[in-house]
Amino acid sequence: MVDLETRSNSLAPVSPALIGLAIAGTAVFFAMLLFIPAGRLDWILGWLYIGLLILNVLITWVCLQIWNPELIAARMRFSKGTKTWDKIWALLFAPVIIAIYIVAGFEKRDGVSSLTETVWPLGLVIFVPGSTLLIWSMVVNPFFEKTVRIQTDRGHRVIDTGPYAYLRHPGYVGLMCWILSAPFLLASAWAFVPALLSVIGVMIRTALEDRTLRAELPGYTDYTKRVRFRLIPGIW
């Protein structure tokens, strides 16, 4: 459960119109990444991926609207205090993750794929649990903003409930599953190259964020003694 009463400042709710615009913009952005390189619109897996993406965003919004509405507003803004290293990381990470979809699109330009469409269910098996874990992390954690900063303006504190009782960074696990599912869902072997690089990038950010929280967030060092693993239970 999210302890809403402990938040120091509440953010203005986001209008449904703005949410709808954001969802539509996301769909158009990913469609351009996929279909412009592909040079064709009859790519069924491409449309299925866009549909899956829209459905996931809608489910995320509904869950947050019910259990953690303040996070919607927090994630739709860029707040002061973002760490410089995170800004640099974002500049390096964005083109790599975007490349997943561009590479997959180019691979489909001639209608020939290095993977058969039979791998699509495997992608779904990876995508659904990953998205579920990511949404669960957002629902539980009111401080799940887009950038790394100590949110003193919002009463930042350690969250140790839900998936955070087992892993220190469960949201990143969900994100990595989402990334790794894309090459399967788009049946593109070459897309695994930027996908794996993206996962490495997420792991690097996890380590940097963990170090920042240890140094600057009260109570986090004690939390790391209770929850030892960042991403993989019993391993790391």
Side-chain angles (χ1 to χ4, degrees):
M1 298 293 293
V2 180
D3 186 4
L4 301 178
E5 295 183 358
T6 60
R7 300 182 195 179
S8 60
N9 296 308
S10 68
L11 300 171
V14 180
S15 70
L18 185 58
I19 293 296
L21 184 61
I23 294 173
T26 299
V28 170
F29 176 71
F30 277 90
M32 291 175 64
L33 291 180
L34 289 171
F35 290 102
I36 290 178
R40 46 195 287 253
L41 294 175
D42 59 341
W43 180 15
I44 295 176
L45 291 189
W47 289 115
L48 283 175
Y49 190 86
I50 297 299
L52 189 62
L53 182 67
I54 294 174
L55 179 62
N56 181 68
V57 173
L58 285 172
I59 292 173
T60 302
W61 177 75
V62 170
C63 290
L64 291 181
Q65 189 66 40
I66 295 173
W67 290 298
N68 196 2
E70 188 175 310
L71 185 62
I72 298 174
R75 288 186 60 82
M76 293 190 71
R77 67 173 188 172
F78 288 95
S79 302
K80 295 180 180 180
T82 297
K83 298 300 179 182
T84 301
W85 65 259
D86 194 44
K87 296 177 183 178
I88 297 172
W89 177 89
L91 289 174
L92 297 174
F93 180 74
V96 179
I97 195 168
I98 286 174
I100 297 172
Y101 305 98
I102 294 176
V103 169
F106 274 117
E107 191 171 337
K108 298 300 180 293
R109 178 169 284 269
D110 297 323
V112 178
S113 175
S114 52
L115 290 178
T116 66
E117 295 182 357
T118 57
V119 301
W120 192 88
L122 180 57
L124 194 63
V125 168
I126 299 172
F127 180 86
V128 172
S131 295
T132 301
L133 181 58
L134 184 56
I135 294 171
W136 188 18
S137 300
M138 290 183 182
V139 165
V140 169
N141 188 357
F143 310 107
F144 200 111
E145 291 191 358
K146 291 185 294 187
T147 62
V148 176
R149 70 186 188 97
I150 302 301
Q151 301 168 40
T152 53
D153 56 318
R154 301 183 61 225
H156 200 170
R157 55 185 168 78
V158 173
I159 301 299
D160 58 3
T161 57
Y164 292 92
Y166 309 99
L167 291 172
R168 299 206 297 270
H169 300 280
Y172 285 131
V173 178
L175 175 59
M176 289 190 291
C177 289
W178 182 70
I179 291 170
L180 290 174
S181 70
F184 291 106
L185 293 172
L186 298 170
S188 171
W190 283 106
F192 277 109
V193 175
L196 291 174
L197 290 175
S198 296
V199 167
I200 292 172
V202 171
M203 294 173 69
I204 291 172
R205 190 193 199 204
T206 303
L208 293 173
E209 181 173 344
D210 203 74
R211 185 177 66 182
T212 298
L213 294 174
R214 281 176 182 268
E216 301 182 35
L217 183 63
Y220 191 81
T221 298
D222 290 335
Y223 168 65
T224 64
K225 295 175 182 177
R226 300 194 308 272
V227 180
R228 296 173 52 200
F229 303 103
R230 297 177 189 168
L231 300 172
I232 306 174
I235 299 177
W236 185 59

